[in-house]
Amino acid sequence: MKIAIIGGTGPQGQGLALRFAKAGLEVFVGSRDPERAESTVSEVNSRLPIGSSNIVGMSNIDAIRAADEMVIFAVPWSGHNDTLNIIKKELSNKILVDIVVPLSENDPKKVDMPPEGSATEAAQAILGSEIPVVGALHNVSATTLSNLDWDINCDVLVCGNSLDARKKVIELIKKLNVKAYNVGDAQSARCVEALTPILIRLNISKMVPFSHSGIQIWAPDHK
Amino acid sequence: MKIAIIGGTGPQGQGLALRFAKAGLEVFVGSRDPERAESTVSEVNSRLPIGSSNIVGMSNIDAIRAADEMVIFAVPWSGHNDTLNIIKKELSNKILVDIVVPLSENDPKKVDMPPEGSATEAAQAILGSEIPVVGALHNVSATTLSNLDWDINCDVLVCGNSLDARKKVIELIKKLNVKAYNVGDAQSARCVEALTPILIRLNISKMVPFSHSGIQIWAPDHK
């Protein structure tokens, strides 16, 4: 299975590249600057255990072309809409997995949602109904992803308007040994994206004794 | 400690009355119809183990007057704003703990948020800045609350514009042996309230093997 990670040189993108390559997927990390992608990837590859797939760095467009279907979108929120407009015409027959959180510029403990309601909804508005957008992986800390010794301590909430695309993304995420749940259409991204600044707030709070927190779904018969 | 539960004859209100009375607090359950409060409460009292406090049923106004400070607001969303306008003048020197979720009338797997952004923000707009509103306890299932044999499997996310009021509500909730976290100002209620329909969706989904789900905050050093 071949996946692309657009904006994959940031901390979240690097962490996901590491985890998916460890799980045996071929990972194509894209960047606006292909040379930066190559140098970042060579460092990330050096941290992979024996038996992992190799990660390859290239331009965003080349990474999309190299993917079978799944394109993980991991740019900073400030570049979210502009980048989508640039890559849009390359995305036919792909699924965009939008992991971007519209953190407030002045306060990472808050979101500043776009008029569409969430990043996922903004992406779907730009791409139109032909290209499915699935929001996922917003709440997993980059630090957790990057520490291959740690289990990923965060369930993944998966939303988007196409049920079929959601199911495929859930299968993709389960390859990381993470629980992934279908939480409904793109409107649910207003909640899921906004969980991230809540976790950031807890991580930097003096009222709690932990950091790198995640969320988990729990039920009486599901410990 | 004496607390009021307004709209306390609904499933959520009854469950909270049961849990707080079991924890030894004096609980005054209010209803628009005092006779209904009395008959509901007599059934609820019969389920309390020996050593619990007694629950008393009365009108909403009398329940507020009987509370020291904490007034839990547990009406259906359809009556949220109207009831607040009726009880507003009784609330000086109290803290309103708003547990209401604006579930969509046509689909309990979605929220239909008010123009203020959330029920908590709508309540704060009605009550003005003198009476602190704290959003909390949205995500704990009524079924879980009502089964005294079950641990409450859901962390409570507490938000509101007054940090002092949030801290007091966190202390109140900890009396139920539940973890409660400060998740910021009232705007966070947009996320916290919207988690409830996500949990409802999971509970009724055929894709997961459980019901009565809750959410938990998890971190590597905090199992």
Side-chain angles (χ1 to χ4, degrees), chain B residues 56-137:
Chain B
V56 185
M58 51 185 60
S59 72
N60 282 330
I61 300 292
D62 286 343
I64 295 170
R65 289 178 182 163
D68 321 304
E69 186 172 31
M70 291 292 176
V71 176
I72 296 177
F73 193 55
V75 301
W77 168 239
S78 56
H80 180 271
N81 290 4
D82 289 348
T83 309
L84 281 175
N85 278 309
I86 292 167
I87 66 174
K88 176 176 175 176
K89 63 181 181 301
E90 300 293 332
L91 289 169
S92 51
N93 300 313
K94 311 286 187 189
I95 293 171
L96 189 88
V97 183
D98 195 334
I99 75 163
V100 179
V101 175
L103 291 180
S104 169
E105 261 185 61
N106 305 315
D107 185 354
K109 303 190 300 302
K110 302 192 88 164
V111 276
D112 193 2
M113 290 298 196
E116 295 85 356
S118 62
T120 292
E121 289 165 283
Q124 192 66 76
I126 290 169
L127 298 186
S129 57
E130 292 294 301
I131 302 164
V133 176
V134 175
L137 290 161

Side-chain angles (χ1 to χ4, degrees), chain A residues 110 153 185 213-214 216 218, chain B residues 110 153 185 213-214 216 218 221:
Chain A
K110 303 191 87 164
N153 62 316
D185 69 18
S213 61
Q216 293 193 335
W218 201 95
Chain B
K110 302 192 88 164
N153 62 315
D185 69 19
S213 61
Q216 295 194 333
W218 200 95
D221 47 358

